[in-house]
Structure formats: C-alpha cells, structure tokens
Amino acid sequence: MKNNSAENFDSLFEKKKHGYKIFIILFFLILIGIVGIYTYFTVGAVRSTMESAKTEVQGATPVNPSLIGLMKNKAWVESRLKMATDDSIGMSIDLEQNEIQLLLKGVVIMKSKIKESSISGFFKRMDGNVYFNIFGSPLTIRHLESSIAKNPLKVIQAPTTADTAVVIVTAKDSLQKGKNSPPKENIYWTVKLDHNIELNIQGIDSITKAQNKYKLGKGFEFQRDLKNIKSSFEHIIKFQKPNYTPEILISIPENEAKAILRAIPKNASITIRI
Amino acid sequence: MIRAILIYLTILFVGIIFLASMILYAIPALQESTFVLPGVSETQTDAGNTETQKESLNKEVEKLQVKLDKFTPTSAYIIVNTSDNHFFLYKGSQLIRDGKCSTGKNEKLTFVNSKKVYIFKTPKGVLHVQSKQPNPVWAKPDWAFLEDGLPIPPPGDASRFESGTLGAFKLVLGDGYMIHGTIYKRFIGQNVTHGCIRLLDDDLDVVYHTLEVGSKVYIY
C-alpha cells in the first residue's frame, strides 16, 4: 500500500515536470515566432524604403565610385550656395567634419561641434545617385517637435497705476538678481525632412551626465524607439509592412542646441553632408 | 501549488525580458545595420577619364566656394546670439571682439481696457546700421509709460526725453531697434530689453567705432 502511494506521487511529479517542459517549449516557440515575424516585417520595411529610393533615380548614369567624394563636396557647396540666396536662417550639418553651422545669407553666424552622431544603415548603403537625389539640394523642415518652447513669449498685464508698476519692477529685479545661471532643461528636438528623413538633435554637455539625466539611453532615444515599436506593431497586426524612417541623431552642447532651435524658422532649409 | 505558480511566473518573466530586449534593442539594431541592405555596386571606369573628371570637379568646387565666400562681408559686421546673449564683432573673417550683451525679454504686454499689445523681442535676420550717434537722448516711446503705469504724454513733451539711459553711443537699426549702452549693467547677459541690443561701455565703444552706417547686423 505504502509502495503504491509513493509510486503515484512520483508519477504525478513526473507529469508536472513534463507539463512545465511543454509549457516552456510552447511559450518560447510562440515568442520566437513573434520575434521572427516582427524581424521579417521591420527588415522588409528598410529594404522597400531603399528600393523606392532607387526607383526615384532609375535610369540615371551610375556614379563613378572614385568620384563620389568630390561629387559630395560639389553637392555640399552647391546646396549651401542655394541656401545663401534664401532670406531666412538655414542650417548645414557636416557629418564629415562633425560640425553644424547656421547660415544667414551665406554668412556663417554660428558653429557647433558635434559631440556624437549616428546615422541609419540606410544612409551608409546609399549609392551615389540616391545620395545626390536626397542631399543634392537643401532639404526643408516639414514638421518640428521640441522639448522646450521654440518661441517663448510671456504674456504680461500692463500695470494700471504707477504704484503697481513699482511693485512689479521690484519683484522682477529681485528675480533677475537671483538668476546667476539659467535653469537646466532637457533640450531635444526632432524634425521631419523631405524624403521622410528624421533628424534628431539633443543637447548634452557630457555623455555621462546625459545618461544620468535621461536615465534610459541618451536622451529621447528610448521614447522615440517605443513610438516606432508601437507603430510597427500596429502595421504588423494588420499584416502590413511597417513604415521605416531613416534617422540622423546628433548630440551637441545644450546651449547650442537651444540657440539653433530658437534661431531656425519652422520651415528652414537644411543641407546635410554624410 | 505555490512552487508551480512561481515556476510559471519565472518562465513568463524570462520570456518578457527576451521579447523586450529583442524588440527594443536587437531588432532595431539589425534594422539600422548595413547588414540587411544590399551593398553598393562598384562600377569600373577608365582611369585616364577619371583623372580628367576629378580635375574638372575640383575646379568646379573651387569656383562654387569662391562664390559662396563672396557672401561674407569684407567690411565689419556683428553677429548677435539672442539665446545666449552674446555678440561677435567681425571684420571680414577675423573676429575682433566678442562679449556679453542683453537682448529682448520675449514678453507680450497686454492691457485690461485695450486690445493694444506690445511685443518685446529682438528681431531675427539681417538688419543694417542706419545711423550712428554719440551721447544719445532716449525719446521714450508710449510703451515706456504704459509699462510704468503712467499716462502717455503728448509727443514732444519734456518727460519723453531722457539723457544717459542709452549710454555713450547708439547705432540705429530701424523700426525702433538700436544697439546702445545701458545703466543696468548687472542685467548684461540676460534677456531683459524691449528688443534693443544693450552692450557694456567698452564693448559699445569698439562696436561703435568699428561698424559703419550700412554695416550688417546678423541676429539669431
């Protein structure tokens, strides 16, 4: 009798262990399946973006690879020249020299050294014709979002009497005196350009400080990734290829990121050299 | 029972971590790598022809660069950064002086009984020095009285004129905007003005004597 109950217990335990195994295998098969489908669609999106970029330049004479460097130089200067005829402030981004410049009527009014930058694989795999089709002339900002107000304007009610004016001035005076250093803000902004290119600029004074400040990743990358993943899932659930946006991420000092954001018009021209 | 729940929860947790790391990091990294895209095809060309093309391209780039450089004034000009409140005085491509300044406070002054508004900000773009004057007298505009809660005096009234407020010199930029000195030196480096560009005495002296009537003032 005793032997029988011990055997029953063992077989029950074996059955449970077997149950776990099946559960683990099934669970991970489902996960791998999800990851596989997701990978297939997202990678497919990059490929189809490249294909459509190539379709735009179909029929063009292939660019001689040994001349690409010089042709890029020419396109860069030509682009800046086109921008010089513009009345408003434009921006030129030189990822070769790691420098951002603000130009007004062809005059460099500001320079900012790029601390860190990254570009999508899409840009690294472009052929000469696709490159010149995209960066051969200035790009225009189609949409701009920023973490701080682009044109801050404080609304003030005029005092009705001289006495109230004195009170306001005294209060302002003491406030200004206390302003030894401006408050630290998280400065980042993102713009959508022609050809569905996204340009992200974040202000960081030091990479280590930025990591502590933003906690997850460097700046708004994590937030942006989550947004992209959500959009990708929405497409994949409907068995559609998700949208792919080639991105350029640039980190420059905070005060310079702020100055550039406040300086450029909402539909500014941007020239880029990669 | 509890042991079984714990095992299932652990499996679930490991699974979620796996899925999150794949979707958040591994797949985006794969998507952004060059690995998923086909390589750029190399086309062979005649070496001699390439050299000629290189030469002509170099010449073209040089010509374009000369054209672009011509946009930079050869005479003196000033660049004002309204975000950092800093100015840079140039003669051609040479920086002569730079320093702190004060620019527009970015305020909109509104009134209880009137729809009239005043916007106090420094305009961005290219302006020109229209005139220069030493020992300027400030002709106070209406907003200067309204901001102090005072009634607006008639034009030409003695209370409208103030000496010393604008410092030793003024450079008129048009539409009421000027580059001038200040008695509020402690506010230099801050956005406190009504749109004018305020400089410290020494800086103003150099700017006044360097810029000519017609000189360009680039503001961003």
Side-chain angles (χ1 to χ4, degrees):
Chain A
M1 192 64 184
K2 240 183 182 180
N3 273 348
N4 262 353
S5 61
E7 266 171 35
N8 280 347
F9 181 78
D10 283 350
S11 70
L12 198 71
F13 186 71
E14 280 301 312
K15 265 185 194 171
K16 267 192 176 174
K17 264 175 91 176
H18 195 64
Y20 293 146
K21 269 185 193 169
I22 290 173
F23 175 75
I24 291 169
I25 291 166
L26 272 178
F27 182 64
F28 278 96
L29 274 178
I30 291 167
L31 284 186
I32 288 164
I34 293 171
V35 168
I37 292 168
Y38 187 80
T39 311
Y40 174 77
F41 276 110
T42 49
V43 167
V46 188
R47 286 172 180 259
S48 66
T49 307
M50 181 60 92
E51 273 160 30
S52 60
K54 280 183 176 169
T55 318
E56 280 178 40
V57 290
Q58 219 169 23
T61 327
V63 177
N64 182 345
S66 57
L67 294 176
I68 275 193
L70 275 173
M71 288 180 79
K72 276 185 179 179
N73 254 352
K74 191 187 160 200
W76 168 247
V77 185
E78 259 176 352
S79 237
R80 283 160 62 91
L81 207 52
K82 273 182 204 163
M83 232 164 55
T85 54
D86 223 350
D87 280 334
S88 48
I89 298 172
M91 179 162 71
S92 69
I93 299 169
D94 190 350
L95 292 172
E96 240 182 60
Q97 303 291 324
N98 281 320
E99 194 174 68
I100 292 187
Q101 291 183 347
L102 278 187
L103 291 122
L104 180 53
K105 289 263 179 197
V107 177
V108 177
I109 54 170
M110 187 191 169
K111 281 181 189 175
S112 175
K113 204 80 197 144
I114 295 172
K115 282 177 173 258
E116 211 185 20
S117 70
S118 66
I119 56 167
S120 292
F122 174 86
F123 296 117
K124 294 173 190 160
R125 286 288 191 182
M126 282 185 302
D127 64 25
N129 285 323
V130 174
Y131 180 93
F132 297 118
N133 185 39
I134 295 176
F135 299 118
S137 47
L139 299 163
T140 310
I141 294 180
R142 300 290 170 201
H143 180 74
L144 189 150
E145 268 178 52
S146 58
S147 64
I148 55 163
K150 186 165 157 39
N151 297 308
L153 204 62
K154 214 192 303 173
V155 180
I156 303 288
Q157 184 80 55
T160 42
T161 63
D163 291 340
T164 44
V166 171
V167 174
I168 293 169
V169 168
T170 318
K172 263 189 182 177
D173 204 16
S174 58
L175 199 73
Q176 295 286 1
K177 271 180 195 165
K179 266 189 184 176
N180 287 327
S181 57
K184 280 280 171 194
E185 303 156 295
N186 291 348
I187 297 154
Y188 52 81
W189 43 284
T190 171
V191 294
K192 261 268 162 43
L193 301 168
D194 300 322
H195 301 281
N196 195 32
I197 294 169
E198 200 170 280
L199 170 69
N200 302 304
I201 296 193
Q202 59 183 3
I204 56 170
D205 281 339
S206 94
I207 290 159
T208 344
K209 267 188 195 167
Q211 275 166 342
N212 293 332
K213 190 171 168 181
Y214 299 110
K215 301 286 180 212
L216 283 159
K218 282 166 276 163
F220 61 119
E221 286 165 79
F222 183 75
Q223 193 187 339
R224 186 197 56 199
D225 288 347
L226 274 185
K227 203 175 85 186
N228 289 347
I229 288 161
K230 195 183 155 211
S231 145
S232 296
F233 263 121
E234 279 168 5
H235 279 84
I236 290 164
I237 285 166
K238 293 173 198 162
F239 280 95
Q240 290 170 344
K241 261 185 198 161
N243 293 326
Y244 170 70
T245 309
E247 289 168 353
I248 299 171
L249 172 67
I250 292 168
S251 306
I252 53 174
E254 281 185 4
N255 60 332
E256 289 168 9
K258 191 175 174 179
I260 295 173
L261 169 71
R262 299 250 157 103
I264 54 165
K266 276 195 168 170
N267 54 352
S269 295
I270 297 182
T271 55
I272 300 173
R273 172 157 71 174
I274 290 179
Chain B
M1 180 69 176
I2 293 167
R3 192 170 164 256
I5 290 170
L6 279 174
I7 290 170
Y8 281 116
L9 279 176
T10 312
I11 296 166
L12 206 68
F13 179 73
V14 171
I16 288 167
I17 294 289
F18 166 75
L19 192 67
S21 58
M22 290 302 283
I23 288 173
L24 276 172
Y25 301 105
I27 300 171
L30 177 74
Q31 199 184 23
E32 292 304 351
S33 70
T34 49
F35 174 69
V36 296
L37 289 164
V40 183
S41 59
E42 301 276 318
T43 21
Q44 291 301 318
T45 43
D46 175 35
N49 194 20
T50 305
E51 280 312 307
T52 332
Q53 279 178 308
K54 268 187 188 174
E55 220 170 276
S56 84
L57 266 173
N58 267 328
K59 274 183 189 166
E60 271 182 74
V61 173
E62 263 173 44
K63 266 187 196 169
L64 289 168
Q65 190 60 53
V66 169
K67 255 189 187 176
L68 187 62
D69 291 343
K70 276 185 184 162
F71 279 93
T72 305
T74 45
S75 55
Y77 63 97
I78 189 169
I79 297 173
V80 180
N81 176 345
T82 61
S83 184
D84 281 349
N85 289 297
H86 209 99
F87 79 91
F88 304 86
L89 182 66
Y90 282 92
K91 207 164 199 176
S93 55
Q94 196 191 343
L95 179 70
I96 296 173
R97 196 177 179 102
D98 77 301
K100 283 183 176 180
C101 61
S102 284
T103 58
K105 55 184 169 182
N106 301 318
E107 273 183 13
K108 187 177 173 180
L109 187 68
T110 58
F111 302 91
V112 183
N113 300 320
S114 164
K115 279 186 178 176
K116 201 172 177 86
V117 290
Y118 289 96
I119 292 172
F120 302 129
K121 66 190 288 185
T122 306
K124 285 169 186 155
V126 194
L127 301 180
H128 294 84
V129 176
Q130 296 187 352
S131 64
K132 299 190 335 175
Q133 194 192 322
N135 305 314
V137 174
W138 184 33
K140 288 169 83 174
D142 291 354
W143 54 253
F145 296 95
L146 295 167
E147 214 181 23
D148 288 345
L150 296 169
I152 302 170
D157 190 89
S159 63
R160 280 194 181 263
F161 302 100
E162 238 177 63
S163 291
T165 316
L166 302 182
F169 307 102
K170 76 169 181 184
L171 295 96
V172 177
L173 306 176
D175 290 330
Y177 299 105
M178 292 178 266
I179 298 175
H180 59 74
T182 181
I183 49 170
Y184 307 108
K185 294 190 172 54
R186 64 185 185 280
F187 293 145
I188 284 288
Q190 295 179 21
N191 291 92
V192 290
T193 79
H194 295 88
C196 286
I197 299 154
R198 291 182 195 164
L199 301 178
L200 287 170
D201 296 345
D202 291 351
D203 292 331
L204 182 65
D205 198 301
V206 177
V207 167
Y208 181 81
H209 289 105
T210 310
L211 294 182
E212 307 278 328
V213 172
S215 291
K216 285 179 176 170
V217 179
Y218 296 90
I219 306 171
Y220 72 96

